[in-house]
Amino acid sequence: MQARYPDTDGFVAHDGVRIAYQVFGRSGPAVVLLPTWPIVPARVWKMQVPHLARRCRVVTFDPRGNGASDRPTVPEAYADTAIVADALAVMDAAGVDRAVLVGYCSGTRSALQIAAAAPERVSGIVTIAAAVPHLTPPREPAVAGSGAPSPSPEWRARMDPASWRSDFPAFVEAHSGPEFMTPEPYSSKLREDLVEWGLETTAEVLLATRQRPQVPPMPRDTAEAEALVAGVRCPLLAIAGTDDRCQGVRPSERIAALTGGDLVVLEGGGHTFFARHPVPVNLMLEAFIERVAAGERHAGGTSDSAAHAPAATAETPFEAPPRDPTPRVRRWTRALQRPRRVLFVSSPIGLGHARRDLAIATELRALRPDVRVEWLTQHPVTRFLEAHGESVHHASELLANESQHIEAEASGHELNVFESIRRMDEIFVANFMVFNDLLKEEPFDLVIGDEAWDVDHFLLENPELKRVRFAWLTDFVGWLPMPEGGAREAFLAAEMNEEMIARVERFPAVRDRAVFIGDPEDIVNERFGPDLPGIRSWVEAHFDFAGYVTTLDQRSLDSREALRERLGYGADDVVCVVSVGGSGVGRSLLERAVAAYPLAKARVPALRMVLVTGPRIDPGAFTAVDGLEVHGYLRDLHHHFAACDTALVQGGLTTTMELTAARRPFIHVPIRRHFEQNIHVRHRLERYQAGQRLEFEDATPEGIADAIASSLDQPVRYRDVANDGAARAARIVADLV
């Protein structure tokens, strides 16, 4: 799932070649993110588009040879004149008269050539890892003085164009790897993207680009290259990485010197640093675009609609654009008069986080009555919180939906949640940028993030962006591989763990408090990976322990008989609650439960099944029959758990622990390949001696019916679940606000 989809898209044709373009956003200054060599499509900009599109009209297009564009194989199709014509045609089709152009690698040359051919169409230029032929002397892939190793003979052989047709995937792997494009540590996901995108084109396309005509506007010598660069008359920003093993820093330095532009050098940045380190690059782009737009407004306005307006003369004096009659109002309050504000960032993947977070927020307000809690989260958590009278911040509407991504990644009762999280990279970047904007605009005293992976990851990666105190909450620590993932998943999980450990230990002040929702014994007795610490010992050294946060306090409930009566359950009913949480993954289990109901009722004649689909699965897809009722959402589901005779659920921690706290029999069917449910939650339930585990392969209608019947006959001997977890968590973070 993408973090942001185009508002409009289409094709333009030039010389018989169709070019696919996309437009994101509907207002603000225009920005064109230019393509580079067709070994990547426009998706290479996926980390930049969502953030920029909230304030700009962003235009991207797939280059000739990749993405949804055509793939000609004649060299003439890749002449610089054709590439420039494609860009101008796309701008015309998108209704963009004037724009900031952003060029990556060879896209830099395109930006400069467009500025030379049509200067009135260009309001500013950003070059990223600039490449302009003949501007600086050729260089070896290893960066001189950087300490980078020289490329291996095998790598050189794979990069040789003579070998591309015989083994194109090997070339793409070599091109995308650490010896060239991705030297930064922990870049496995970016390499995978680059390989996937590279395999969308062909050796014939890339060979044709190398044989393109070397005629103007392509610079043929240093003088022509310098003239092309020096001819730029608009603002320019050049960004380069010191570990760029493709181009190095020198071209960017020369461009900045010849244009009088700004230069930003990213220490340790590789050739694709804008994708590997998107947050600082996004902020640089935002600042540059705002500066260019402000300059044009100050100069009299050259927006898209006014860029081609006739110049003012004595007969036709310039008329300033009309002012907005409604002024923008901003308020400032003296610091000591501001209310104490807490921003609670709650994971939307399931409703378990929301329930425990609400319990913690309630306890925090009891300790600090002057605290105002506001929530940054997504559907379905927003619905749950609003139903409880909580204040959901309007910035929540700008977040890309993580639950929807998880649903799209699931297949039946299987979800490789580890890979799903990795493929959520662009969503995490987009949502962190929303969070960062909010913290820039509004004062908060404390941020609490409950498994807000985006906030934690990017604050640890960019510690200079931390503005207020930060408390991190989680109920598991450690990305652990499933056996089905083999050596690859084991390596990637260990790499993610190693990166997290390195950042936490290098920047301990980012997390003012780290709170584990549970006890030390609830942590799996595993290692983060080969040569990495044991998980339990590391967590004990870096976290406080709140104990489990249950939203069910048996002491505050009526007697179980009175509770059942209040919920409409008869004294003779045998109630089985079937629930799959709020993430939207679980339709397959619900379908099997419905099919199992008549079989189970034959075994238990008084059986009454209560099916709860959650807010993201349509309850209308299931037909209610006598004794089987269907609900989309139950606000007080935990009370139904306390009142039931047995339950059938997935292997999520919140649901299973609510049933454990209520001391009710239950069957849990973990989602296949879901490492948290199959490793972390399983360990905790075994510790509490709670529940009956049923593999999905065995959860046939007959298997479910048998499990329901047998669960009613088994005595409950669970360990007690403490009731004070929310209060303990609140006390841990209370001194931060």
Side-chain angles (χ1 to χ4, degrees), residues 382-420:
T382 50
R383 174 179 171 182
F384 170 83
L385 293 171
E386 288 167 348
H388 285 80
E390 294 293 309
S391 175
V392 176
H393 197 283
H394 62 81
S396 298
E397 299 174 1
L398 302 174
L399 298 172
N401 195 281
E402 297 171 19
S403 293
Q404 190 174 348
H405 168 85
I406 292 295
E407 291 171 33
E409 292 277 315
S411 176
H413 200 71
E414 181 171 309
L415 171 67
N416 187 335
V417 73
F418 173 71
E419 288 292 351
S420 299

Short mmCIF file of all heavy atoms in Angstrom, two decimals, residues 382-420:
data_model
loop_
_atom_site.label_atom_id
_atom_site.label_comp_id
_atom_site.label_asym_id
_atom_site.label_seq_id
_atom_site.Cartn_x
_atom_site.Cartn_y
_atom_site.Cartn_z
N THR A 382 -9.66 6.10 16.39
CA THR A 382 -10.35 7.39 16.53
C THR A 382 -11.81 7.19 16.92
O THR A 382 -12.33 7.92 17.78
CB THR A 382 -10.26 8.17 15.21
OG1 THR A 382 -10.68 7.33 14.12
CG2 THR A 382 -8.84 8.64 14.95
N ARG A 383 -12.44 6.22 16.31
CA ARG A 383 -13.85 5.96 16.62
C ARG A 383 -14.00 5.53 18.08
O ARG A 383 -14.91 5.99 18.79
CB ARG A 383 -14.39 4.88 15.68
CG ARG A 383 -15.80 4.41 15.98
CD ARG A 383 -16.24 3.36 14.98
NE ARG A 383 -17.49 2.74 15.36
CZ ARG A 383 -18.07 1.76 14.68
NH1 ARG A 383 -17.52 1.31 13.58
NH2 ARG A 383 -19.20 1.23 15.10
N PHE A 384 -13.13 4.67 18.53
CA PHE A 384 -13.18 4.19 19.91
C PHE A 384 -12.98 5.35 20.88
O PHE A 384 -13.74 5.51 21.86
CB PHE A 384 -12.10 3.13 20.11
CG PHE A 384 -11.88 2.73 21.55
CD1 PHE A 384 -12.70 1.80 22.16
CD2 PHE A 384 -10.86 3.30 22.30
CE1 PHE A 384 -12.50 1.44 23.48
CE2 PHE A 384 -10.65 2.94 23.62
CZ PHE A 384 -11.48 2.01 24.21
N LEU A 385 -11.98 6.20 20.63
CA LEU A 385 -11.69 7.29 21.55
C LEU A 385 -12.80 8.34 21.56
O LEU A 385 -13.18 8.84 22.63
CB LEU A 385 -10.36 7.94 21.16
CG LEU A 385 -9.12 7.07 21.36
CD1 LEU A 385 -7.90 7.73 20.74
CD2 LEU A 385 -8.88 6.79 22.84
N GLU A 386 -13.31 8.68 20.39
CA GLU A 386 -14.40 9.67 20.34
C GLU A 386 -15.64 9.15 21.05
O GLU A 386 -16.36 9.93 21.69
CB GLU A 386 -14.69 10.02 18.88
CG GLU A 386 -13.60 10.87 18.24
CD GLU A 386 -13.71 10.96 16.73
OE1 GLU A 386 -14.50 10.17 16.15
OE2 GLU A 386 -13.01 11.79 16.12
N ALA A 387 -15.89 7.84 20.97
CA ALA A 387 -17.03 7.27 21.69
C ALA A 387 -16.87 7.39 23.19
O ALA A 387 -17.86 7.38 23.94
CB ALA A 387 -17.21 5.80 21.29
N HIS A 388 -15.61 7.53 23.65
CA HIS A 388 -15.35 7.68 25.08
C HIS A 388 -15.09 9.14 25.45
O HIS A 388 -14.57 9.43 26.54
CB HIS A 388 -14.17 6.82 25.50
CG HIS A 388 -14.49 5.35 25.60
ND1 HIS A 388 -14.56 4.53 24.49
CD2 HIS A 388 -14.80 4.56 26.67
CE1 HIS A 388 -14.87 3.31 24.88
NE2 HIS A 388 -15.03 3.30 26.19
N GLY A 389 -15.44 10.06 24.57
CA GLY A 389 -15.36 11.47 24.88
C GLY A 389 -13.96 12.05 24.84
O GLY A 389 -13.72 13.13 25.38
N GLU A 390 -13.01 11.36 24.19
CA GLU A 390 -11.64 11.83 24.13
C GLU A 390 -11.46 12.83 22.99
O GLU A 390 -12.23 12.86 22.02
CB GLU A 390 -10.68 10.66 23.95
CG GLU A 390 -10.63 9.73 25.14
CD GLU A 390 -10.02 10.40 26.37
OE1 GLU A 390 -8.92 10.97 26.25
OE2 GLU A 390 -10.64 10.33 27.45
N SER A 391 -10.40 13.65 23.09
CA SER A 391 -10.11 14.68 22.10
C SER A 391 -9.09 14.15 21.10
O SER A 391 -7.90 13.98 21.44
CB SER A 391 -9.56 15.94 22.79
OG SER A 391 -9.16 16.90 21.84
N VAL A 392 -9.54 13.88 19.89
CA VAL A 392 -8.65 13.41 18.82
C VAL A 392 -8.17 14.63 18.05
O VAL A 392 -8.97 15.41 17.53
CB VAL A 392 -9.38 12.42 17.89
CG1 VAL A 392 -8.48 12.02 16.73
CG2 VAL A 392 -9.84 11.19 18.68
N HIS A 393 -6.86 14.81 17.96
CA HIS A 393 -6.31 15.99 17.29
C HIS A 393 -6.63 15.94 15.80
O HIS A 393 -6.59 14.88 15.16
CB HIS A 393 -4.79 16.05 17.50
CG HIS A 393 -4.22 17.40 17.20
ND1 HIS A 393 -4.01 17.86 15.92
CD2 HIS A 393 -3.82 18.40 18.03
CE1 HIS A 393 -3.50 19.07 15.96
NE2 HIS A 393 -3.38 19.44 17.23
N HIS A 394 -6.94 17.11 15.24
CA HIS A 394 -7.34 17.16 13.83
C HIS A 394 -6.22 16.71 12.90
O HIS A 394 -6.48 16.30 11.75
CB HIS A 394 -7.81 18.56 13.46
CG HIS A 394 -6.75 19.62 13.61
ND1 HIS A 394 -5.77 19.85 12.67
CD2 HIS A 394 -6.51 20.51 14.61
CE1 HIS A 394 -4.98 20.83 13.06
NE2 HIS A 394 -5.41 21.25 14.24
N ALA A 395 -4.97 16.74 13.35
CA ALA A 395 -3.87 16.27 12.50
C ALA A 395 -3.99 14.77 12.22
O ALA A 395 -3.37 14.27 11.27
CB ALA A 395 -2.52 16.57 13.16
N SER A 396 -4.78 14.06 13.01
CA SER A 396 -4.98 12.63 12.77
C SER A 396 -5.56 12.37 11.38
O SER A 396 -5.32 11.30 10.79
CB SER A 396 -5.90 12.03 13.84
OG SER A 396 -5.34 12.15 15.13
N GLU A 397 -6.31 13.34 10.86
CA GLU A 397 -6.90 13.16 9.54
C GLU A 397 -5.85 13.12 8.43
O GLU A 397 -6.12 12.66 7.32
CB GLU A 397 -7.88 14.31 9.26
CG GLU A 397 -9.04 14.37 10.24
CD GLU A 397 -9.91 15.60 10.01
OE1 GLU A 397 -9.61 16.38 9.07
OE2 GLU A 397 -10.88 15.78 10.77
N LEU A 398 -4.63 13.58 8.72
CA LEU A 398 -3.58 13.63 7.71
C LEU A 398 -2.76 12.34 7.67
O LEU A 398 -1.92 12.18 6.78
CB LEU A 398 -2.64 14.81 8.00
CG LEU A 398 -3.29 16.19 8.05
CD1 LEU A 398 -2.27 17.24 8.49
CD2 LEU A 398 -3.90 16.55 6.71
N LEU A 399 -2.97 11.44 8.60
CA LEU A 399 -2.15 10.23 8.70
C LEU A 399 -2.56 9.20 7.65
O LEU A 399 -3.74 9.01 7.37
CB LEU A 399 -2.28 9.62 10.09
CG LEU A 399 -1.80 10.49 11.25
CD1 LEU A 399 -2.17 9.83 12.58
CD2 LEU A 399 -0.30 10.73 11.18
N ALA A 400 -1.56 8.53 7.08
CA ALA A 400 -1.81 7.39 6.21
C ALA A 400 -2.18 6.19 7.08
O ALA A 400 -1.57 5.96 8.12
CB ALA A 400 -0.57 7.08 5.38
N ASN A 401 -3.19 5.42 6.64
CA ASN A 401 -3.78 4.42 7.52
C ASN A 401 -2.95 3.13 7.56
O ASN A 401 -2.78 2.46 6.55
CB ASN A 401 -5.20 4.10 7.09
CG ASN A 401 -5.95 3.35 8.17
OD1 ASN A 401 -5.78 2.15 8.32
ND2 ASN A 401 -6.77 4.06 8.93
N GLU A 402 -2.46 2.81 8.75
CA GLU A 402 -1.63 1.63 8.93
C GLU A 402 -2.47 0.35 8.96
O GLU A 402 -2.04 -0.70 8.47
CB GLU A 402 -0.81 1.76 10.21
CG GLU A 402 0.15 2.94 10.16
CD GLU A 402 0.82 3.21 11.50
OE1 GLU A 402 0.82 2.30 12.36
OE2 GLU A 402 1.32 4.33 11.70
N SER A 403 -3.66 0.41 9.53
CA SER A 403 -4.52 -0.77 9.58
C SER A 403 -4.90 -1.23 8.18
O SER A 403 -4.95 -2.43 7.90
CB SER A 403 -5.79 -0.48 10.39
OG SER A 403 -5.48 -0.25 11.75
N GLN A 404 -5.17 -0.28 7.31
CA GLN A 404 -5.51 -0.62 5.94
C GLN A 404 -4.34 -1.33 5.25
O GLN A 404 -4.53 -2.28 4.48
CB GLN A 404 -5.89 0.64 5.17
CG GLN A 404 -6.49 0.39 3.80
CD GLN A 404 -6.97 1.68 3.15
OE1 GLN A 404 -7.06 2.73 3.79
NE2 GLN A 404 -7.27 1.60 1.87
N HIS A 405 -3.14 -0.88 5.54
CA HIS A 405 -1.96 -1.54 4.98
C HIS A 405 -1.86 -2.98 5.49
O HIS A 405 -1.60 -3.90 4.71
CB HIS A 405 -0.70 -0.76 5.38
CG HIS A 405 0.58 -1.49 5.10
ND1 HIS A 405 1.19 -1.47 3.88
CD2 HIS A 405 1.36 -2.28 5.90
CE1 HIS A 405 2.29 -2.21 3.92
NE2 HIS A 405 2.41 -2.71 5.15
N ILE A 406 -2.08 -3.17 6.79
CA ILE A 406 -2.00 -4.51 7.36
C ILE A 406 -3.03 -5.43 6.72
O ILE A 406 -2.75 -6.59 6.39
CB ILE A 406 -2.17 -4.45 8.89
CG1 ILE A 406 -0.97 -3.75 9.54
CG2 ILE A 406 -2.37 -5.84 9.48
CD1 ILE A 406 0.34 -4.49 9.39
N GLU A 407 -4.24 -4.93 6.53
CA GLU A 407 -5.28 -5.72 5.89
C GLU A 407 -4.86 -6.13 4.49
O GLU A 407 -5.09 -7.27 4.05
CB GLU A 407 -6.58 -4.92 5.82
CG GLU A 407 -7.24 -4.69 7.16
CD GLU A 407 -8.40 -3.70 7.06
OE1 GLU A 407 -9.06 -3.68 6.01
OE2 GLU A 407 -8.61 -2.93 8.01
N ALA A 408 -4.28 -5.18 3.76
CA ALA A 408 -3.86 -5.48 2.38
C ALA A 408 -2.75 -6.52 2.35
O ALA A 408 -2.62 -7.26 1.36
CB ALA A 408 -3.40 -4.19 1.70
N GLU A 409 -1.94 -6.59 3.42
CA GLU A 409 -0.83 -7.52 3.45
C GLU A 409 -1.28 -8.93 3.85
O GLU A 409 -0.58 -9.90 3.58
CB GLU A 409 0.21 -7.03 4.46
CG GLU A 409 0.93 -5.77 4.04
CD GLU A 409 2.07 -6.05 3.10
OE1 GLU A 409 2.84 -6.99 3.34
OE2 GLU A 409 2.20 -5.32 2.10
N ALA A 410 -2.42 -9.05 4.51
CA ALA A 410 -2.88 -10.34 5.00
C ALA A 410 -3.49 -11.17 3.88
O ALA A 410 -4.05 -10.64 2.91
CB ALA A 410 -3.89 -10.15 6.13
N SER A 411 -3.39 -12.46 4.03
CA SER A 411 -4.02 -13.39 3.10
C SER A 411 -4.67 -14.49 3.94
O SER A 411 -3.98 -15.32 4.53
CB SER A 411 -3.00 -13.99 2.14
OG SER A 411 -3.59 -14.96 1.30
N GLY A 412 -6.01 -14.46 3.99
CA GLY A 412 -6.69 -15.40 4.84
C GLY A 412 -6.30 -15.19 6.28
O GLY A 412 -6.34 -14.07 6.80
N HIS A 413 -5.86 -16.25 6.94
CA HIS A 413 -5.45 -16.17 8.34
C HIS A 413 -3.92 -16.15 8.44
O HIS A 413 -3.34 -16.65 9.40
CB HIS A 413 -6.01 -17.36 9.13
CG HIS A 413 -6.07 -17.13 10.61
ND1 HIS A 413 -6.95 -16.26 11.20
CD2 HIS A 413 -5.33 -17.65 11.63
CE1 HIS A 413 -6.76 -16.26 12.52
NE2 HIS A 413 -5.79 -17.10 12.80
N GLU A 414 -3.29 -15.56 7.44
CA GLU A 414 -1.83 -15.49 7.42
C GLU A 414 -1.38 -14.05 7.22
O GLU A 414 -1.90 -13.34 6.37
CB GLU A 414 -1.26 -16.37 6.31
CG GLU A 414 0.26 -16.37 6.26
CD GLU A 414 0.81 -17.40 5.29
OE1 GLU A 414 0.40 -18.58 5.40
OE2 GLU A 414 1.63 -17.04 4.43
N LEU A 415 -0.41 -13.64 8.02
CA LEU A 415 0.15 -12.29 7.91
C LEU A 415 1.59 -12.34 8.38
O LEU A 415 1.86 -12.56 9.56
CB LEU A 415 -0.65 -11.29 8.77
CG LEU A 415 -0.03 -9.89 8.90
CD1 LEU A 415 -0.05 -9.17 7.57
CD2 LEU A 415 -0.76 -9.07 9.96
N ASN A 416 2.50 -12.13 7.45
CA ASN A 416 3.90 -11.99 7.83
C ASN A 416 4.08 -10.57 8.34
O ASN A 416 4.42 -9.66 7.59
CB ASN A 416 4.82 -12.27 6.64
CG ASN A 416 6.28 -12.32 7.04
OD1 ASN A 416 6.69 -11.72 8.04
ND2 ASN A 416 7.08 -13.02 6.26
N VAL A 417 3.82 -10.39 9.62
CA VAL A 417 3.78 -9.03 10.17
C VAL A 417 5.15 -8.37 10.13
O VAL A 417 5.25 -7.15 10.00
CB VAL A 417 3.20 -9.06 11.60
CG1 VAL A 417 4.18 -9.65 12.60
CG2 VAL A 417 2.77 -7.67 12.03
N PHE A 418 6.22 -9.16 10.20
CA PHE A 418 7.56 -8.59 10.12
C PHE A 418 7.77 -7.92 8.76
O PHE A 418 8.20 -6.76 8.67
CB PHE A 418 8.60 -9.68 10.36
CG PHE A 418 10.02 -9.23 10.14
CD1 PHE A 418 10.62 -8.35 11.02
CD2 PHE A 418 10.74 -9.68 9.04
CE1 PHE A 418 11.93 -7.92 10.81
CE2 PHE A 418 12.04 -9.26 8.83
CZ PHE A 418 12.64 -8.38 9.71
N GLU A 419 7.45 -8.64 7.69
CA GLU A 419 7.59 -8.04 6.36
C GLU A 419 6.60 -6.91 6.15
O GLU A 419 6.91 -5.92 5.48
CB GLU A 419 7.41 -9.11 5.28
CG GLU A 419 8.57 -10.09 5.17
CD GLU A 419 9.85 -9.44 4.65
OE1 GLU A 419 9.80 -8.28 4.20
OE2 GLU A 419 10.90 -10.10 4.69
N SER A 420 5.42 -7.03 6.73
CA SER A 420 4.42 -5.97 6.59
C SER A 420 4.92 -4.67 7.19
O SER A 420 4.73 -3.59 6.62
CB SER A 420 3.11 -6.39 7.26
OG SER A 420 2.57 -7.54 6.66
#
